[in-house]
Amino acid sequence: MNELMMASPMARAKSELTGNQVNVSLAATFEHTVGTPCCDNPKIQTKNVDVFYAENHAIQDVSLDMGANEVTALIGPSGCGKSTYLRCLNRMNDSIDICKVSGDFILDGEDIYAKSQDPVLLRARVGMVFQKPNPFPKSIYDNVAYGLRIHGLTQNKAELDDMVEDSLRKAGLFEEVKDRLNAAGTSLSGGQQQRLCIARTIAIQPEVILMDEPASALDPIATAKTEELIAELKENFTIVIVTHSMQQAARVSQRTAYFHMGRLIEVGETDQIFTNPQHELTEKYITGRFG
Amino acid sequence: MNNSTLIKQGLKRRYRKEQAFRVLGLTSVCIALLFLVILLLDISSKALPAFIQTQIELTVDLSSEQLGLNKDSSNDEIRQADFRAVIRAALLKRFPAVTNRQDKRSLYSLVSTGAEYQLLDLVLADKSLLNQTSTFMLVADDDVDALIKGAIDRRLPESDRRVKNQKLNWIEALESDGAVHSTFNWQFLTSGDSREPELAGIKGALMGSFYTLFMTLLMSFPVAVASAIYLEEFAPKNRLIDLIEININNLAAVPSIVYGLLGLAVFINLFGMPRSAPVVGAVVLSLMTLPTIIIASRSAIKAVPPSLREAALGVGASKMQTVFHHVLPAALPGMLTGTIIGMAQALGETAPLLMIGMVAFIVDIPQSIIDPATVLPIQVYLWADSPERGFLEKTSAAILVLLVFLIVMNALAIYLRKKFEKKW
């Protein structure tokens, strides 16, 4: 922890030296997170999160709660640390050697980074959908069945078939692919691939779904379908979504958190953030003056 | 002058450069192909005679007076019978004018020394041949063979000719009888090495190469793939691992004969493994091919997109499952390419095998991985080193067999690679 404290002002000084106008204004105006980082019914709570990539202080002292059965959107300009923060929630950063994470991550009262916490079990509970659709180079069926198989969640073939169909239905893909479940997952269009990835994630029935810019590689129609799907999924899952598109955040989320240069600047109800931002930076960002 | 005229002026020069580069590339490809064609034509034209065997038709009397055998004789009795004598008798009967002892010896050398064993095998297979007189096609001596194939020029003066007039007359007499036949040389493909060119076959070396390479593949592929996976996916980043990585790269550059010395010193002298055995050759060649396969496998693993790993980890696959279910299948084609290169290298390797005794003259066809054996490139070396005229064509034929072996092996590997490459 000592190390963190020492590195933090250094990193800030460095970013000020090389930074642009926005950077300077951040140092001048940021004091603490504006808004309500805590919520009534949290699924995941994080406190004082710091993330380092080697010397680079990627996330600085972020505290944020994500409410159960709602969509929390993380927005902010490129390189603001929102994806890094998201990947900390299911320990996807574990495999990156230079990445050091500190702070408290609590999922339903359990410490995500505790020694006793198994990352494999954690990732079964906290699923993830990535920016670029990344179906396995297998059939559509096998893509969805893979998670069920490795976790041993079904007893027999019939049950597996049902679960696969159910997941594809929930992801709104079943009608389009029911005749070609044995076709390659990669043969689908981009939007279908992304929904396949969502089906793959919800098949193992996680509690939380993390989405890292799930629609950024999709055309508007596929994006609209994905957004509809997200709205339906929040009935059963807690969703945290990183997005570049403010319209998307406004459409799908209940709460929005605005990140800037590794800091959580402002967090609050989505309506409030987009209509009445409290912080100068948030206002500048959502009115499109930078980003 | 505006930009587009400036660009237009430069365009011609740019296209000229492109054209020049294309011509250069095409020329070098053509030159390479030309030399390959010359090489192949040369080898195959020299090798073709090796696949033709000259046989002499002789009427041989296998009566009991001659052999002391009848239809009820046991196999052991047959094996002890003097078949050489009956062949000699048949030759004398055909050329009754020969009486002189020296001339007789010359006459007997028309037929290969292997003919008596050929006759023995025929009789063992069919005992009804005993007690009667039949005609047999017996393998001709290599000099006769060379003369028939035209390798020895009949028009040369006798002093310059290896086959003297007397022998030439006998051969021509046999030819005019229609008793000299040229047939496909199955013996070349079915027998082992021999001191006599007309009896020498490639099968011993072929089987030796097969056993050696099979064992090499069996030992090197799993070890190399396991090492590559460990180093790429599981190994911590520290000095020891760095040292291992550097040394793997260094090993790829070690001269192959050094591996032979290692094999001799460690596997044969220290561990007491059998000399000249394919298994020892395979261990040595495995050591030699390991770095090649490891390096290729590691770059294949590195080339697997991280998104695939993340996808697997994201649905809760363990590290091991991620590697074996997703990374390995995606990297397999690249690994197989490395294996093809390594195995082709191992197939053509001679130096390290010389050191462990696979250069020995071995007549028997190896039946297992611990039988003494030699391999195809060493067989080429041994035959190329032999003075007899008949080995010249055998050398080229052995090279041809080596090339065919290589092509079959690579074709198999490429087929497998294509199969795994099937991108969904």
Side-chain angles (χ1 to χ4, degrees):
Chain A
M1 206 52 196
N2 267 341
E3 209 176 288
L4 287 184
M5 290 305 181
M6 278 160 63
S8 148
M10 257 174 65
R12 212 176 308 160
K14 201 172 147 195
S15 66
E16 271 166 19
L17 277 175
T18 56
N20 51 27
Q21 203 59 37
V22 176
N23 207 338
V24 175
S25 78
L26 172 70
T29 56
F30 181 82
E31 281 153 12
H32 55 84
T33 304
V34 180
T36 49
C38 302
C39 66
D40 298 337
N41 182 17
K43 181 73 185 174
I44 299 181
Q45 294 171 285
T46 61
K47 270 202 197 77
N48 309 113
V49 174
D50 282 273
V51 179
F52 287 87
Y53 277 110
E55 296 296 298
N56 179 20
H57 200 165
I59 304 274
Q60 301 179 34
D61 195 24
V62 168
S63 300
L64 178 65
D65 287 359
M66 275 134 291
N69 291 69
E70 63 176 25
V71 180
T72 308
L74 311 181
I75 59 169
S78 295
C80 68
K82 53 195 191 301
S83 287
T84 304
Y85 175 78
L86 188 78
R87 291 165 61 91
C88 290
L89 299 178
N90 70 345
R91 294 179 58 171
M92 283 301 275
N93 288 335
D94 279 15
S95 53
I96 301 166
D97 291 327
I98 55 164
C99 182
K100 299 272 175 294
V101 179
S102 69
D104 298 331
F105 292 84
I106 311 292
L107 169 67
D108 276 342
E110 274 177 59
D111 184 358
I112 290 175
Y113 279 82
K115 278 247 158 64
S116 58
Q117 181 66 255
D118 189 325
V120 170
L121 177 63
L122 175 74
R123 289 183 198 131
R125 294 174 62 192
V126 184
M128 189 152 188
V129 176
F130 297 85
Q131 178 171 6
K132 224 181 117 211
N134 56 353
F136 298 128
K138 298 171 187 285
S139 70
I140 295 170
Y141 182 93
D142 286 337
N143 259 283
V144 182
Y146 180 71
L148 297 165
R149 284 195 184 122
I150 58 167
H151 294 300
L153 296 178
T154 51
Q155 304 299 323
N156 52 44
K157 180 84 171 79
E159 203 179 333
L160 186 64
D161 287 348
D162 286 348
M163 296 275 275
V164 169
E165 182 183 331
D166 190 45
S167 308
L168 284 169
R169 250 185 226 292
K170 279 186 188 146
L173 190 61
F174 187 73
E175 289 305 319
E176 290 161 57
V177 300
K178 63 181 174 190
D179 302 324
R180 47 179 176 137
L181 287 176
N182 288 321
T186 45
S187 69
L188 298 174
S189 72
Q192 288 174 326
Q193 285 189 22
Q194 195 61 295
R195 276 179 284 146
L196 178 62
C197 292
I198 293 173
R200 177 177 74 191
T201 306
I202 60 180
I204 47 177
Q205 301 188 322
E207 297 157 34
V208 182
I209 301 175
L210 309 176
M211 296 185 172
D212 191 355
E213 300 180 29
S216 69
L218 306 182
D219 65 77
I221 294 168
T223 303
K225 277 194 178 168
T226 313
E227 285 176 8
E228 269 173 43
L229 175 60
I230 292 169
E232 284 166 29
L233 290 176
K234 81 167 194 289
E235 305 297 323
N236 299 311
F237 306 95
T238 298
I239 294 172
V240 186
I241 179 169
V242 165
T243 175
H244 257 122
S245 153
M246 283 171 280
Q247 290 81 356
Q248 188 172 63
R251 282 192 297 262
V252 300
S253 70
Q254 281 71 57
R255 268 157 55 84
T256 298
Y258 172 63
F259 281 72
H260 191 106
M261 302 294 294
R263 299 275 191 183
L264 176 57
I265 304 295
E266 183 168 354
V267 54
E269 299 297 317
T270 299
D271 295 344
Q272 175 258 313
I273 292 276
F274 283 97
T275 54
N276 186 20
Q278 302 296 303
H279 199 281
E280 188 194 344
L281 280 168
T282 319
E283 197 209 326
K284 280 183 179 166
Y285 181 70
I286 62 172
T287 52
R289 254 172 280 171
F290 66 86
Chain B
M1 215 180 331
N2 63 12
N3 270 352
S4 70
T5 39
L6 269 175
I7 292 170
K8 231 179 206 168
Q9 281 175 351
L11 269 182
K12 215 174 218 172
R13 196 164 40 86
R14 275 150 70 180
Y15 284 135
R16 218 173 23 243
K17 270 189 183 170
E18 193 178 305
Q19 192 65 31
F21 184 76
R22 267 197 217 170
V23 170
L24 195 73
L26 200 64
T27 317
S28 49
V29 169
C30 287
I31 291 173
L33 275 179
L34 182 73
F35 278 105
L36 185 70
V37 167
I38 291 175
L39 176 81
L40 285 178
L41 281 181
D42 181 55
I43 292 173
S44 19
S45 65
K46 281 188 185 146
L48 276 181
F51 292 98
I52 294 163
Q53 189 176 48
T54 305
Q55 293 179 333
I56 295 174
E57 196 177 326
L58 268 187
T59 307
V60 183
D61 181 10
L62 294 178
S63 63
S64 56
E65 305 89 75
Q66 287 282 343
L67 271 175
L69 294 173
N70 55 49
K71 285 197 174 77
D72 304 321
S73 298
S74 70
N75 286 355
D76 280 340
E77 281 170 339
I78 294 175
R79 280 197 191 92
Q80 279 160 13
D82 192 357
F83 284 98
R84 188 184 301 175
V86 291
I87 292 172
R88 287 180 172 182
L91 279 167
L92 280 177
K93 204 172 148 196
R94 175 64 188 77
F95 297 104
V98 180
T99 47
N100 179 333
R101 190 175 142 78
Q102 207 178 344
D103 292 347
K104 274 187 186 171
R105 196 183 295 157
S106 178
L107 177 68
Y108 297 156
S109 75
L110 280 179
V111 169
S112 166
T113 49
E116 51 189 286
Y117 301 104
Q118 194 190 352
L119 203 55
L120 168 68
D121 286 341
L122 285 171
V123 170
L124 281 175
D126 181 9
K127 285 186 192 171
S128 66
L129 290 170
L130 288 169
N131 275 333
Q132 53 180 318
T133 301
S134 347
T135 54
F136 293 97
M137 308 279 266
L138 299 176
V139 182
D141 187 62
D142 57 325
D143 281 343
V144 180
D145 189 56
L147 190 86
I148 298 297
K149 286 172 183 167
I152 295 173
D153 193 346
R154 299 180 196 203
R155 287 160 304 182
L156 281 177
E158 187 178 11
S159 56
D160 294 351
R161 199 178 338 109
R162 198 178 144 78
V163 177
K164 302 301 174 197
N165 280 346
Q166 184 193 35
K167 215 172 183 180
L168 185 63
N169 290 336
W170 292 330
I171 295 168
E172 281 176 347
L174 285 168
E175 269 184 314
S176 62
D177 285 1
V180 177
H181 300 270
S182 292
T183 57
F184 185 77
N185 191 357
W186 287 109
Q187 195 161 12
F188 179 68
L189 298 176
T190 55
S191 59
D193 197 8
S194 170
R195 294 269 181 234
E196 305 298 329
E198 75 274 14
L199 300 175
I202 196 73
K203 198 179 174 195
L206 192 65
M207 292 312 287
S209 266
F210 174 77
Y211 285 128
T212 308
L213 282 183
F214 181 71
M215 289 308 291
T216 305
L217 183 67
L218 220 59
M219 283 188 265
S220 61
F221 186 68
V223 175
V225 169
S227 320
I229 292 175
Y230 178 76
L231 287 174
E232 213 44 60
E233 298 279 337
F234 295 96
K237 297 273 172 288
N238 58 31
R239 292 221 163 176
L240 180 69
I241 298 296
D242 285 348
L243 194 73
I244 291 174
E245 284 180 11
I246 291 168
N247 278 305
I248 286 172
N249 293 339
N250 285 342
L251 280 179
V254 170
S256 57
I257 194 145
V258 176
Y259 288 104
L261 282 170
L262 176 105
L264 178 64
V266 176
F267 300 121
I268 293 181
N269 289 344
L270 197 64
F271 295 164
M273 289 170 93
R275 221 164 270 269
S276 307
V279 67
V280 184
V283 175
V284 171
L285 291 178
S286 296
L287 288 178
M288 206 193 71
T289 49
L290 265 178
T292 312
I293 308 182
I294 291 178
I295 292 168
S297 299
R298 288 188 62 184
S299 46
I301 293 173
K302 266 198 198 114
V304 174
S307 67
L308 191 62
R309 288 191 186 85
E310 287 187 334
L313 290 174
V315 292
S318 66
K319 183 91 191 169
M320 193 81 172
Q321 287 170 327
T322 305
V323 169
F324 281 90
H325 295 171
H326 302 287
V327 177
L328 198 56
L332 209 52
M335 291 175 166
L336 283 174
T337 306
T339 312
I340 296 173
I341 296 170
M343 294 305 286
Q345 207 183 346
L347 176 65
E349 203 53 72
T350 321
L353 302 180
L354 295 180
M355 301 306 297
I356 58 158
M358 290 188 90
V359 74
F361 172 72
I362 291 148
V363 177
D364 291 331
I365 294 163
Q367 300 297 322
S368 75
I369 54 166
I370 50 167
D371 287 347
T374 187
V375 291
L376 287 167
I378 290 186
Q379 190 68 75
V380 172
Y381 164 77
L382 286 172
W383 283 346
D385 214 24
S386 304
E388 286 89 347
R389 181 76 185 61
F391 280 122
L392 188 72
E393 58 191 42
K394 301 278 172 185
T395 307
S396 294
I399 294 172
L400 212 58
V401 170
L402 178 63
L403 289 178
V404 169
F405 192 106
L406 185 75
I407 289 167
V408 168
M409 191 174 82
N410 283 4
L412 195 73
I414 290 168
Y415 166 76
L416 282 177
R417 190 176 65 187
K418 279 270 175 291
K419 210 174 144 182
F420 288 117
E421 231 169 24
K422 192 173 73 167
K423 281 267 176 278
W424 279 88

